[in-house]
Amino acid sequence: MEFLAEYGLFLAKVVTFVAAILVVVVVAVSLGGRNKKSDKGHIEVTKLNEKFDHMRDTLRDAMMDDDAYKEFEKAEKKRRKEEKAEKKKAAKETAKPTAEATTDEVIADKKRIFVLDFYGDIKASEVDSLREEISTVLTLAKPTDEVVVKVESGGGMVHSYGLASSQLTRITNKNIPLTICVDKVAASGGYMMACVANKIVAAPFAILGSIGVVAQLPNFHKLLKKNDIDYEMFTAGEYKRTVTMFGENTDKGRAKFVEELEDTHVLFKEFVSEHRPQVDVVKVATGEVWFGRRAKDVNLIDEIQTSDEYLFAQAETADIFEVEFTYKKSLPEKLGFAAQAAVDRLLMTWWERLNISRWF
C-alpha cells in the first residue's frame, strides 16, 4: 500500500509538471504570435506534368536492365538538349518587345491548366480556400487557359454553396474556360457548383443531381409538456420564427416554412436553367439523383471520364498546375480547436451518411 501511495504521488507530480510545461508553451506561443504579422496561410503550386513524368520514369527505370537504361539515358539527354534549344529559340522570338507588349504576354503561349480541389462538407467550409485559390489563378490566367475544379460534395447549406458557386462564376466572368470534374458525388449544393462550369466531366458511377431542398428538425414540445416544462420564445415580426424545436408549431408556421422551402427550390431551378439551358429542369429538379451514365442522358453532365483521365489526356499539350491554399495554424489554435473539430467531423460524417444512404 505504501508503494502504491508513493507511486500515485510520483505520477501526480509528473502529470502536474507536464501540464505546467504545456501551459507555459501555449502562453508563450500565444504572446509571441501577437507580435507577428498575421499569416493565415499560403499558396502551394505543383506542376503535375513533372509529377506524371516522375511516375513514368520510376516505372520505366524498374523495368529496364542496365544496358537498356544506359542507351535510353543517352537518347534522352540528346532529346532534352534539342528540346531546350528549341524552347530557347521560341522564347527569344516570343519575347521580342513591342509597343503593346506586357509582362504576361511574354509568357510562353502553351496552354495552361490550373487544377483546384473542393471537398465540400455541410457548411462548404473550404470556400475560403477556394476564394484564395481562384484569386491567385485569376492574376495570370487568360481565356486561352483552363481552370479545372475537382468537386466532391453531397451538398449542405444553401447560402454556403451559393457563395461557393459565386466564386466559380468569377472564372467564367473572365471568359476563362471552367471544367468541373466529379469522381464521386456532386449533389444538391455540389451540383449547384458544378452547373456553373462550361463543361462537366463525371466518372461513370458518380452521383449527380439532387436538385431539391430539404429541412428537418425534431420537436420536443410534447416531451416538455409531459414533464411540466414551459418553453417561451419572444419574437418581433410575424414570421421571425416559423417552426421551432421546443415550442408548439402551428399549421400557419409550417405552411410558411414550406413556402420558404419552395421559393428556395424555385431559385435553385432558375440557377440551373441559367447556367445549363440544355437541361430539362422540370424533369430533373425532383430531388432525384443520377449516376454518371444516366446523368449524361439528361444533360446534367457533358462527358463520361474520371478527373485522372481528363488531366492525363492533356498533359502532353498543356502545362498543368495544381494550386492549393494551405492554412497555417498556430499551436494554440491546434490545441484549442482540436476537440471542436473532432466533434464537428463526427456530426458532419453522420449527417452525410444519412443523406448518402438515401441514394442507394
Side-chain angles (χ1 to χ4, degrees):
M1 293 295 294
E2 184 178 351
F3 169 76
L4 291 177
E6 291 180 355
Y7 178 75
L9 182 61
F10 171 75
L11 186 62
K13 290 180 179 179
V14 170
V15 171
T16 303
F17 179 71
V18 172
I21 291 177
L22 287 174
V23 170
V24 172
V25 170
V26 170
V27 172
V29 173
S30 178
L31 291 175
R34 293 177 183 176
N35 298 322
K36 295 180 180 179
K37 292 182 179 180
S38 177
D39 183 12
K40 288 297 183 181
H42 62 278
I43 288 289
E44 294 183 357
V45 180
T46 303
K47 190 171 183 178
L48 294 185
N49 304 71
E50 296 175 356
K51 179 181 177 181
F52 297 155
D53 290 344
H54 179 70
M55 293 164 61
R56 179 197 60 204
D57 294 343
T58 301
L59 179 59
R60 182 168 50 203
D61 293 350
M63 295 171 63
M64 286 182 173
D65 57 37
D66 291 341
D67 292 336
Y69 182 74
K70 287 179 181 178
E71 288 297 321
F72 171 77
E73 276 290 288
K74 185 178 179 181
E76 189 67 7
K77 285 181 180 179
K78 182 179 179 181
R79 183 189 67 80
R80 289 173 182 167
K81 186 177 180 180
E82 293 174 350
E83 187 179 88
K84 185 177 181 180
E86 290 178 3
K87 285 184 177 179
K88 189 175 181 180
K89 182 179 179 181
K92 286 182 178 179
E93 292 295 324
T94 305
K96 286 181 179 179
T98 63
E100 298 82 13
T102 65
T103 303
D104 292 345
E105 290 170 343
V106 173
I107 298 175
D109 58 357
K110 189 175 183 181
K111 178 182 178 180
R112 298 168 299 183
I113 299 176
F114 303 95
V115 182
L116 316 179
D117 283 286
F118 183 89
Y119 182 83
D121 55 21
I122 295 173
K123 299 186 293 183
S125 303
E126 288 195 7
V127 71
D128 290 332
S129 296
L130 182 67
R131 174 193 287 120
E132 298 290 341
E133 292 160 2
I134 291 175
S135 295
T136 300
V137 169
L138 291 181
T139 61
L140 283 178
K142 300 180 293 184
T144 53
D145 298 322
E146 180 182 0
V147 178
V148 174
V149 182
K150 295 188 285 184
V151 173
E152 302 294 343
S153 175
M157 298 178 179
V158 176
H159 58 282
S160 299
Y161 278 91
L163 176 58
S165 301
S166 297
Q167 291 298 325
L168 294 178
T169 305
R170 294 171 59 196
I171 299 170
T172 56
N173 285 344
K174 293 289 185 178
N175 295 318
I176 299 169
L178 171 63
T179 299
I180 297 292
C181 289
V182 184
D183 289 327
K184 295 180 180 178
V185 56
S188 194
Y191 191 76
M192 180 186 288
M193 293 180 65
C195 74
V196 171
N198 302 103
K199 179 167 58 179
I200 304 176
V201 178
F205 288 93
I207 296 171
L208 300 110
S210 190
I211 302 173
V213 184
V214 62
Q216 52 190 348
L217 75 162
N219 184 266
F220 300 99
H221 173 69
K222 292 182 179 179
L223 179 63
L224 296 178
K225 187 176 181 180
K226 181 180 179 180
N227 291 277
D228 295 325
I229 299 174
D230 291 330
Y231 173 77
E232 295 182 288
M233 179 173 61
F234 305 93
T235 62
E238 184 179 2
Y239 295 117
K240 179 60 179 177
R241 182 70 69 236
T242 52
V243 293
T244 172
M245 291 177 59
F246 301 105
E248 183 177 6
N249 292 322
T250 64
D251 291 339
K252 185 177 181 179
R254 293 189 188 95
K256 180 61 177 177
F257 189 70
V258 171
E259 180 185 327
E260 292 170 349
L261 290 182
E262 290 289 350
D263 185 53
T264 304
H265 190 204
V266 169
L267 289 172
F268 194 174
K269 290 189 289 185
E270 290 175 349
F271 188 81
V272 174
S273 294
E274 177 185 348
H275 292 282
R276 284 191 72 84
Q278 66 269 45
V279 172
D280 183 352
V281 175
V282 175
K283 181 178 180 179
V284 301
T286 58
E288 299 173 78
V289 295
W290 285 263
F291 289 110
R293 293 181 181 275
R294 301 289 182 258
K296 190 173 186 303
D297 294 337
V298 292
N299 293 318
L300 287 174
I301 65 172
D302 301 294
E303 295 180 17
I304 299 291
Q305 214 174 21
T306 65
S307 61
D308 303 299
E309 290 176 292
Y310 186 77
L311 294 174
F312 262 89
Q314 301 196 65
E316 292 297 324
T317 58
D319 288 329
I320 306 177
F321 301 94
E322 186 175 56
V323 181
E324 179 183 5
F325 183 80
T326 303
Y327 277 99
K328 180 180 179 181
K329 294 183 180 180
S330 64
L331 181 59
E333 287 175 326
K334 291 178 181 178
L335 295 176
F337 296 109
Q340 179 183 345
V343 172
D344 285 347
R345 284 195 299 269
L346 179 63
L347 293 174
M348 289 180 184
T349 297
W350 278 105
W351 177 268
E352 288 169 357
R353 285 179 180 175
L354 288 172
N355 281 325
I356 291 173
S357 65
R358 67 187 180 89
W359 300 335
F360 296 94

